[in-house]
Amino acid sequence: MTTKRQLSIIAYAGLLLAVLATAVAQPAATPHAPVPEIDITALREDFAAAVGENTSSVARRRKLKNIVRDGQALLQASPDASNRYVLLNLMFQSQKRLLAIENTERNRTVFFDLSGQLAQAPDDYADLRLEADLMLSEKELSEDNATLEERAEALGKLMDRYRGTPGEAKSLLMGALIVQKLEAPELEDAIYDALDEGFSDDSEVIDFRRKFLKIGRLDVTFAGEFALTDGRALKFPMDTAGHLCLMVFWSKNKPGFDTCLDTWKEELARYPGLLDVFSFNLDELPDGGESILREHGLDWTVIKLPGGRQHQAYRTYAQGDPTAVLVNEYGMAVIRPEIVHGRLPAIDEGRISEPRYMAQLQSLFIGDFMVHALTIERPVSKEWLEAIQGCFPLAPFRYRLTREEALENYRKAEKLCAEAIEANPEAEHLWVLRNHRMIARLGIWSMDFDPGALNRAVEEARLALATDLPPEAEVIPRFCLAKAAIRDSDTEADRESVVTAFLKDCGGDTAPPSALAAASILALDARSRDLHETYRNLFLEKHGENPEFYAFAAFLRDRHHRFRILTPNHNRRERGTRGYIVAHGYEPMTDRLPSIQLKSLDGATLSLPEENNDRLTYLLFVEPPADPEADFPVVLDRNGKPTTNDPIRQVMKYAHDLAGQHVNKGIDVIAAFLCDDAGRVGSLMKKNGWTCQAALVPGGLGNPMVRQLGILSADRLPNVFVIRRNGTIAWRGSGLPYKTEFGFPFAYLLAMKANVEVCDVEYAYKALEKGDFKEASQLFSGPFPLALPDRYGWLAPRYHGQAVAYMGLMDWPAALEAIDKAIDAHKLRHFRGRRSKNLEDWRKDADAVILKKPCDTIADLWKTKAMILEKLGRGEEAAEWENLARQPLEPDYPSIYGAFHEKLTSFGLPH
């Protein structure tokens, strides 16, 4: 029997379908052998009349019946018509409304018969068949008296069938509404993730989510084409890729608007040159409000907004006015339905990107890496070529240019290339100059928001491709064409097809390395994370060690960039920044530190990782101040006062302290200074009281290892590498700051500590495997002294490992003490409400914990304790612990701790 709860879901589904039918537009089909369009148009007009407000119920019923009858006649005449599903949808919609008027057995039979026919439509008509599909599913679930869990499973399968079809958005929105009634949080999260991933730039989807879904925040792409007052048109997000923008919606008719403008002006003064501000005046003024802005001393870029508050951009992004929407380098923004508009300041310090981060992204989107990798023949004189190449500085020098300096370089390069081509029109390998000119034009487009420069790059690209070029010479021209095509594409599928076609045209599997690198960047332009990940992984697998692409490969490996790719700039509570930085519980890093040559202060060569001598190593890259006489600067707050937030000294202190605290004294600290001046480095070491080993990076920032390792801002934040004993990288910290992390760089301390803990327990386990139980017991006693609260949960596995080691040594009293500590630590890890700060409280808290539902991990610990007690001749106690382990258990939740406990439990010891 159908329950009331299920009936409510059925009714709710019908209501949702009505809402969705009006909320998400249906695409027009393209027939090939169609039912005459004039007949379908006539039926559409009849349908519109039937559902009109002034139609009587009798007339409505008659018109709906006629539509279904006439539609059946047309189908009989053209049973294989390619557009029959358009006709079937009209009949289906008519019969649905007829069923609402006359709920008879005959009408139900016809309705579900039409549903079955429409549900057979191919994916081209997925948007039309979705409603029929859902109705048939609901009918089957109701007849089977399905549970909520079964309904959730069916809903998930139905949405899976619509992935990648024209009906995907509609299916997800429908699912997001229905799942709220099904108590299926995992499915609900998956639906929202899919909407965020695939439809962040769909204005209809955004509008629907704001109106009908319960959300606290929407991650969206600020997209659209807008006219400027000078006649140019900008397309967001392509024209502003790599730039941080503020979109301000305001009206002179809103009381207090002038105060808001002045406040924003004051706020923006804190970030000179970091944000591009676009003004969207809502009053449809002839000059777009430019004169008012100038009166307030604002040089914002003025956007025309026809219709004002009726414009789709206002309805999608603004939600009220005056308001400002921060749009990041990927064109992503955050919309908060509960936001109080006009509440100032509008700019959150934590969401303002670091200038070098932006400069790096700008360089990547422009494609500088491709001219760096060109095989340089000499199409012109050495002087010409050096002058042109000088306009494209390598990393990290490129990232330290101001926007004006970068733009001037691109303009200079375009001019020099033009002059060189004109002076040497018959030179061999002239394509090298043309490729440089194309990238220069892309740079002007990006840095000056000048779509005309993109058009010039496209013209040059077409001219180049009309000639006979070697494969590597075609990559940049095709990159330009792909950029323009993505800019003009309306859907993610279209954009992705541009990227895949680009790589195919460049040679597919045999494409040059630059083509695969370019494809990964074009995937970001297309806003396809999956496609970017595919090309990223393929590039690193094939070309990750290619010296011509050191800087590019370092970008792909940089966890800071991976954290922020195609996401808005969030704050810590929303993104879990600290956990990501520490990388504890994430897929472990396994790359080997590339072979690097450093110099000690006395001139000796230090080769890493060859000379890490089977020890853990903290390798910190630090760039001395530009002034040879200066120490590292003291950081000032926004009021110009000194602070204790000095990242260079903080991170250096973390490394020294942790190495000193390491129980087994197994950590070496090496500070690698990016300079050649041993005396200067010695002075800095002495002045700051640093006692670790100091080394020099020959050539400083110009050394290839800087690009290979992705060292970006070591003058502001040390680039930290935690190196395992076998020379692989356990963790690395970028020189880019996580501004959204509260207390940063404190997270570096946690990361340097937690990852050493992981390294040491694994190393201790290897000692167990070798049968070196004494060594294992010593290693498990570390790596650091007992610190409470147990922030990262390694106490239980450490004590468990120590117990196993003592068992191997037949030291049963020590084994018992260790296993008791392991049990206590495991209990407290599960009972997170207790935050013991000393050993006495820790043991008391552990004794107070009552495990109502023991897990299988603690049962294994109890069994181990029983085994130890048996060896100590305490058989009765051993039996009690054995019986305790036989009670009903639950699986321990998956974690790196549980996995390590399993390894220890399965470790074979003689009994």
Side-chain angles (χ1 to χ4, degrees), residues 201 486 489-499 525-527:
D201 60 345
I486 291 172
S489 298
D490 294 325
T491 68
E492 182 179 349
D494 290 341
R495 295 190 295 267
E496 288 184 347
S497 67
V498 170
V499 182
D525 285 325
R527 300 189 291 287

Side-chain angles (χ1 to χ4, degrees), residues 1-223:
M1 180 178 293
T2 303
T3 66
K4 290 183 178 179
R5 180 71 178 273
Q6 291 168 332
L7 283 171
S8 68
I9 293 174
I10 296 170
Y12 189 58
L15 174 62
L16 300 182
L17 289 168
V19 172
L20 284 163
T22 59
V24 182
Q26 295 180 354
T30 305
H32 297 289
V35 173
E37 188 61 33
I38 189 172
D39 293 331
I40 293 181
T41 299
L43 290 181
R44 282 194 178 120
E45 292 173 352
D46 291 344
F47 181 78
V51 298
E53 294 181 0
N54 298 323
T55 307
S56 68
S57 60
V58 174
R60 180 180 297 116
R61 184 168 56 249
R62 183 175 63 253
K63 287 180 179 294
L64 293 172
K65 285 183 177 179
N66 288 339
I67 292 170
V68 176
R69 185 183 63 248
D70 293 346
Q72 288 172 338
L74 290 170
L75 284 177
Q76 288 174 359
S78 304
D80 297 321
S82 60
N83 64 339
R84 64 188 180 278
Y85 297 108
V86 176
L87 183 58
L88 273 170
N89 183 56
L90 270 171
M91 297 164 63
F92 171 82
Q93 298 296 336
S94 299
Q95 187 66 25
K96 181 179 71 174
R97 284 162 175 78
L98 184 60
L99 183 61
I101 298 172
E102 290 184 349
N103 189 0
T104 65
E105 184 63 32
R106 180 182 181 281
N107 281 338
R108 284 194 296 273
T109 300
V110 173
F111 174 71
F112 284 112
D113 178 63
L114 288 171
S115 299
Q117 295 180 59
L118 188 54
Q120 300 303 311
D123 282 351
D124 287 347
Y125 297 90
D127 198 58
L128 301 182
R129 78 171 186 236
L130 173 63
E131 190 173 350
D133 231 351
L134 180 67
M135 287 299 183
L136 292 172
S137 175
E138 179 56 47
K139 178 175 181 289
E140 181 179 349
L141 291 169
S142 297
E143 290 173 349
D144 293 343
N145 199 24
T147 64
L148 294 183
E149 183 178 355
E150 290 169 337
R151 288 176 175 276
E153 182 180 358
L155 178 61
K157 290 179 179 178
L158 185 144
M159 287 187 296
D160 285 342
R161 292 201 299 272
Y162 284 83
R163 295 294 166 88
T165 73
E168 181 177 5
K170 189 174 177 180
S171 73
L172 290 169
L173 293 176
M174 172 271 296
L177 287 162
I178 295 178
V179 77
Q180 296 175 10
K181 299 286 185 177
L182 299 182
E183 300 176 6
E186 290 185 4
L187 178 60
E188 188 170 14
D189 289 343
I191 292 171
Y192 282 117
D193 287 345
L195 285 168
D196 288 342
E197 181 76 18
F199 301 96
S200 67
D201 60 345
D202 189 314
S203 58
E204 290 183 342
V205 170
I206 295 169
D207 195 41
F208 184 91
R209 292 179 70 180
R210 282 178 48 206
K211 289 179 180 177
F212 299 106
L213 300 183
K214 298 176 182 178
I215 53 173
R217 184 200 74 228
L218 263 181
D219 299 347
V220 303
T221 301
F222 191 94

Side-chain angles (χ1 to χ4, degrees), residues 500-541:
T500 54
F502 161 81
L503 193 57
K504 180 180 179 182
D505 290 341
C506 288
D509 293 339
T510 61
S514 57
L516 194 51
S520 72
I521 294 300
L522 290 171
L524 297 180
D525 285 325
R527 300 189 291 287
S528 174
R529 190 189 310 276
D530 290 343
L531 204 56
H532 171 73
E533 282 294 303
T534 297
Y535 294 143
R536 170 196 178 273
N537 295 337
L538 194 57
F539 181 88
L540 290 176
E541 177 186 338

